[in-house]
Amino acid sequence: MAEVVLETQNLTMRFGGVVASDNVNFKLNARELRCLIGPNGAGKSTFFKCVTGLLTPSDGQVFMRGDDVTGWAPHQIASLGVGIKTQVPSVMDGLSAFENIWLSARRFLNVTEANHKTDEVVSRLSLNNIANAELGRLAHGERQRVELGIVLAGDPWLVLLDEPAAGMTAEDVEQMTQIIHEMLNTTAVVIVEHDMQFIRSIASTVTVFHQGAVLMEDHVDRVMADPTVRNVYLGKNA
Amino acid sequence: MTQSWQKELIQTLIVALMLMYLLPFAINTFTLSILLIYGMLGLSLGLIWGFGGILCFGQAAFFGLGAYAYAIAAVNIGESTIPLLFAILVPAMFAMLLGAMMFYGRLADVYLGVITLVVTLILFKFINSTAGPAYVIGKARLGGYNGIPGFQTLNVPGSPDDYIWGDAFYYVCFVALVVVYLLVTWLLRSSFGRVAMGIRENDQRMSLMGYDTRARKTILFAIGAAIAGFAGGLFANWAEIVTPGLFSLGQSAEIIIWCIVGGLGTRLGPILGAAGLAYLKFLLGQQSLIDNTLITGLILVLFVLFLPKGIVPAVANLWAASFGRRPKNSRRNVRRARGGLNG
């Protein structure tokens, strides 16, 4: 069996009386691609934040490559070699695309290596034309791609993407899909996503969240054919 | 990188040398010295605010701490070299503790401003109330409202009787400012500086990339305090007395205004803003028609309304638009976008 890179045991997050994450047991193998779906308020983002250290879970544990990382700060988790992309493009707008990616590469490499790595990532994501432009002036899709570059530059073995396709054009999404497939050669990927078409196009195992808990876990086609999931999405059984 | 660094180093040194010899023809060296000291103080806030995104309302606290640390140590030691080191180290340590408390406590920017402001006020109140004979550090009485006069001023290291004053003190201040300026330039070009600018732009993103932003902000905050403290130490030598007025809110507000007027996110801006406004204040101080603070306030309002980026960026843009050749111009923009370092 493949190595487990991410595991949560009975992960629970309460905000006052609201249970946003309810006893989530989740396992991800090395180089596996997994999509998390669910209606608004299903607990996807809370789960994501607990795993990335942005929130400390009320109960339960998070393991990465066997280490208990529950309660770690985000920078400690990222330092393990975990690439994280948040929901809204979160980039350094006042700096150039090159500098953005360089800063990520520099975390794990020395200056010369970071320069090489950045050049490599820039051409891999075909950002050459905009590498020196101030990021704040670029289009949404381009900034999303730069953020993906930030994630790639760290050479992660686990990548967590929160809605990577949000607000992108069809062309951008297609490129994104291709990049994600390439990434799977070296890393496991978790994607939180609303866009079902995008999820179908990368065709993988899907974990469905509902009311903070895991509703089902299966291949995307079977999940979409499942009547319970359909009800949850349409709000009939909610 | 190294080639452009050498070029900048040489350019800076040539311009600095020329200014150092030319300025005394226009303004007397006694006034120039204080302008340089204020320039350094402006640069200290310009560094942490303009490049680190840390708006500190209490930069005067570090300035005052530096001045008091110098004065107290000078009274006790009777020689100026070690006291000057104290002027740098004491504020730096203080800022390290204060910064760690604020940044590790994950305080938002507004609270950071409030806390630094309050710390300045507390220091002001405290020093003001130390008039009694009980407040003694070694041989130095804190003196409360009256401050500490009569301490050993700057001397040639190792020989306490060779005082450095007048023109010589001006040259010392000038060299000190140039050295600090070059150190700041070097820092901002280093990985630490580039990461600091990343944190200024997006704290959370940087921590999700694996950087411990709390530690880095604390260190940058302490470096800013060290520079402000150094300026304070030099100020003590210039004024030959230190008083609680150094910790006043007015002083803190002025430093912020210098940075805004000169240009935030540049290194030259805060220096020029500080020296320019301080000189203006000096000139206005010679008349009694209009109140000084009124003019400073008016200048701030006018700048915020009409030149929000400050003098240095505006002049740089004007220069690029009128004299810059296009290809060269665009390359400069690229470099600015890369490092966010200009002026």
Side-chain angles (χ1 to χ4, degrees), chain A residues 180-192:
Chain A
I180 289 172
H181 275 298
E182 279 172 27
M183 275 159 73
L184 287 171
N185 290 324
T186 52
T187 168
V189 180
V190 177
I191 299 174
V192 175

Side-chain angles (χ1 to χ4, degrees), chain B residues 9-298:
Chain B
L9 184 72
I10 291 164
Q11 279 174 349
T12 308
L13 288 176
I14 290 172
V15 172
L17 267 176
M18 276 165 55
L19 283 176
M20 187 162 77
Y21 285 106
L22 290 177
L23 279 176
F25 290 106
I27 308 171
N28 69 62
T29 52
F30 183 68
T31 312
L32 277 176
S33 303
I34 187 62
L35 297 184
L36 292 167
I37 291 167
Y38 281 155
M40 193 187 291
L41 180 57
L43 181 60
S44 75
L45 184 65
L47 171 67
I48 63 164
W49 186 18
F51 294 100
I54 306 164
L55 173 51
C56 172
F57 273 95
Q59 205 66 5
F62 306 130
F63 185 66
L65 268 180
Y68 265 87
Y70 176 85
I72 292 165
V75 168
N76 282 302
I77 296 171
E79 205 266 350
S80 70
T81 315
I82 295 171
L84 212 49
L85 285 179
F86 270 102
I88 299 170
L89 288 178
V90 171
M93 297 304 284
F94 182 74
M96 192 79 103
L97 289 174
L98 183 67
M101 192 189 83
M102 295 188 302
F103 299 124
Y104 281 80
R106 295 196 186 178
L107 287 186
D109 293 349
V110 181
Y111 297 103
L112 208 137
V114 171
I115 287 186
T116 49
L117 191 99
V118 170
V119 165
T120 315
L121 281 176
I122 291 173
L123 281 171
F124 178 66
K125 287 276 178 198
F126 171 69
I127 298 287
N128 239 333
S129 63
T130 55
Y135 296 99
V136 178
I137 298 178
K139 285 184 269 177
R141 273 190 60 177
L142 291 180
Y145 183 76
N146 295 316
I148 307 173
F151 45 82
Q152 170 81 17
T153 56
L154 200 65
N155 56 251
V156 175
S159 54
D161 293 328
D162 296 330
Y163 290 104
I164 299 174
W165 61 284
D167 286 356
F169 183 64
Y170 159 71
Y171 291 117
V172 167
C173 288
F174 208 113
V175 170
L177 179 59
V178 171
V179 168
V180 168
Y181 178 84
L182 288 174
L183 281 176
V184 167
T185 306
W186 171 79
L187 183 79
L188 290 174
R189 281 171 169 270
S190 71
S191 295
F192 180 85
R194 289 166 81 174
V195 171
M197 281 181 260
I199 295 172
R200 171 195 68 190
E201 292 294 322
N202 194 334
D203 195 327
Q204 191 185 60
R205 179 71 258 182
M206 291 302 281
S207 67
L208 288 176
M209 273 151 61
Y211 291 103
D212 188 348
T213 58
R214 303 166 302 183
R216 285 168 182 272
K217 277 161 116 174
T218 305
I219 292 169
L220 187 70
F221 191 59
I223 293 172
I227 297 173
F230 185 36
L234 290 174
F235 179 86
N237 280 293
W238 178 84
E240 297 182 8
I241 183 170
V242 293
T243 58
L246 289 170
F247 297 101
S248 69
L249 276 187
Q251 179 88 54
S252 271
E254 242 175 276
I255 307 171
I256 291 171
I257 296 172
W258 295 341
C259 287
I260 294 172
V261 169
L264 213 55
T266 67
R267 287 158 293 150
L268 270 183
I271 299 176
L272 295 180
L277 287 181
Y279 190 57
L280 187 71
K281 192 176 170 184
F282 167 76
L283 293 178
L284 288 171
Q286 295 167 351
Q287 52 89 44
S288 54
L289 197 63
I290 310 174
D291 185 60
N292 230 326
T293 45
L294 207 66
I295 303 282
T296 317
L298 186 69

Side-chain angles (χ1 to χ4, degrees), chain A residues 84 90 94 103 106-107 147, chain B residues 191 201 205 210-211 337-338:
Chain A
I84 301 158
S90 172
L103 284 170
R106 178 70 181 86
R107 175 64 187 84
E147 190 167 16
Chain B
S191 295
E201 292 294 322
R205 179 71 258 182
Y211 291 103
R338 272 193 180 197

